[in-house]
Structure formats: structure tokens, C-alpha cells
Amino acid sequence: MKAANFIDASVAAYTITHTTRPDDVLLGLAEETARATGGDAIMQISPEQGTLLTMLVQISGARRAMEVGTFTGYSSICIARGLPEDGELIACDLSDEWTSVARRYWEKAGVSDRIELRLGPAAETLRAMPRKEFVDFAFIDADKVGYPVYYEEIMARLVPGGLICVDNTLQSGAIIDLDAGGSVPAMRRFNDLVASDERVTTILLPVADGLTLIRKR
């Protein structure tokens, strides 16, 4: 569990054993991702996070979803599984190589008909979409410096009551280290931006590497 370094390891393990586990499709995808990407596999969401995403989509009643950062497709499968049969997920990513893995597993999971992949810089993809409120649910898990841009572009298209989920908002616990480098300063600025945004209600959960839930008022 990614949160084990800032949550007691035994507590983290307990939460995993008491959370619905991934099925064979997701397990196979996680294994292939680890083999194919090596250390980059850390970019894949954790199993308990995937379970949560599916549940959030289901209970929110979302029909139109958006994802920024698809990688090999684990999160997109989890989101798509929460959508109704006529639901749609627009998945934004730069890599044709890694999303080719995602395409295969979307087929295996039986959700390929609900997912539209758009390759290219996510900011450009989002800006090219109609500037109207049509998105019910969104998941952001890409380059951290770009989070404010993705957030604002999605907010402009999010319906009132819509939900945005943002990954990696605790940065392995380093978010409270004022001397930390890398992506931590960018994430701290983003967290402050969301916390002060009067358009939304938000909560930062210590799930995986930190998952922030943002509901548009």
C-alpha cells in the first residue's frame, strides 16, 4: 500500500485485507505493468484506490467521466466499471506505448465501448472540448505541475454536484516537509488552491498516496 510510509504498516495492511480485492483482469494488468515498466509501475494506482474510484462513480451516478493520465489503464477500467452501460469515459494521455496496454485490458474487462482515448497534451485536449457543463466525474493523475491547469479546465466543464478526484496529494508524506523538492512544492500549491476555492467542497483522504475529493457546489 502506497500510504504505508505515513500510516502505521500494520494498519495499512489491515485496511487492505478488509477492502474488496481486484479481479483477475486487474491483477493481470498490474503484473504486466510491473514487468513492462519497471520502476514506472509506481504511477499505477493502488488496488484499494481502484476499488474506491469504482464505488465513487457508482454512488455519484456519473454518466460522463474524464481522466487525465491513463498510463496502462488500471484507473480507467475502475472508473468505466462504475459507469452505466451507456456511460462514457474520455481518457487523456500522451503515451501511445503505455495506452496500447490499456486498450488490450479495456477489451478484457469488457469496458472498451465506454472509453474514448485522446492522445496528446492533456491541456490541449481539454481546451478543445466544448466549454459547457457536461462532465459528472473526473480523475486527475498526471504531471503535478499541470494539475492547476487540468483542474480549471475540468471545473469549467463539470456539472454542479460533479466530483473531481486528484491523486498523489500527500506525496508519500513529504507534503508537510517545507524543504522537500521534486513535485512536492507544486503539489503543495495545488492543495492550497483547492482548499481556498469557494466553488467547491473538498476533503483530502490518506488513501494510497493521498486522494483529494472535490465536489463542485
Side-chain angles (χ1 to χ4, degrees):
M1 184 177 183
K2 294 179 181 179
N5 57 346
F6 56 85
I7 292 179
D8 181 86
S10 60
V11 175
Y14 184 87
T15 64
I16 291 174
T17 60
H18 291 77
T19 298
T20 299
R21 303 300 295 148
D23 63 6
D24 289 343
V25 173
L26 290 175
L27 288 172
L29 173 55
E31 291 171 1
E32 181 169 339
T33 299
R35 290 195 306 270
T37 69
D40 286 343
I42 191 67
M43 293 192 297
Q44 188 172 73
I45 65 170
S46 63
E48 66 276 8
Q49 194 173 7
T51 301
L52 178 58
L53 285 178
T54 301
M55 185 179 293
L56 288 172
V57 175
Q58 291 171 330
I59 63 179
S60 68
R63 303 180 69 85
R64 299 291 177 264
M66 186 176 295
E67 174 183 71
V68 178
T70 297
F71 193 39
T72 58
Y74 197 110
S75 57
S76 50
I77 290 174
C78 295
I79 294 169
R81 282 178 167 174
L83 295 171
E85 290 187 4
D86 62 346
E88 179 186 19
L89 167 62
I90 299 173
C92 307
D93 203 274
L94 277 171
S95 174
D96 182 61
E97 178 182 8
W98 297 138
T99 55
S100 66
V101 177
R103 288 179 185 273
R104 287 194 286 108
Y105 278 88
W106 293 341
E107 290 286 348
K108 291 182 180 181
V111 296
S112 59
D113 60 330
R114 302 178 198 174
I115 304 175
E116 177 187 347
L117 176 62
R118 299 190 183 183
L119 290 175
E124 295 179 12
T125 300
L126 294 171
R127 287 169 179 152
M129 294 180 185
R131 200 172 180 83
K132 62 180 182 179
E133 297 174 338
F134 69 97
V135 177
D136 303 305
F137 182 93
F139 180 51
I140 302 175
D141 184 15
D143 61 294
K144 312 315 168 193
V145 174
Y147 273 26
V149 173
Y150 307 145
Y151 175 68
E152 290 297 339
E153 292 299 327
I154 291 171
M155 277 291 292
R157 295 159 176 83
L158 193 70
V159 301
L163 184 66
I164 302 175
C165 298
V166 184
D167 196 19
N168 305 121
T169 48
L170 286 179
Q171 293 288 285
S172 300
I175 199 70
I176 60 173
D177 182 357
L178 298 182
D179 297 320
S183 59
V184 175
M187 186 57 72
R188 189 180 297 114
R189 289 192 295 272
F190 175 76
N191 288 344
D192 290 344
L193 168 69
V194 172
S196 62
D197 190 348
E198 296 184 354
R199 299 171 296 176
V200 303
T201 301
T202 184
I203 181 169
L204 199 167
L205 302 175
V207 175
D209 190 30
L211 183 69
T212 299
L213 309 186
I214 306 162
R215 184 178 185 273
K216 185 175 182 179
R217 293 177 177 171

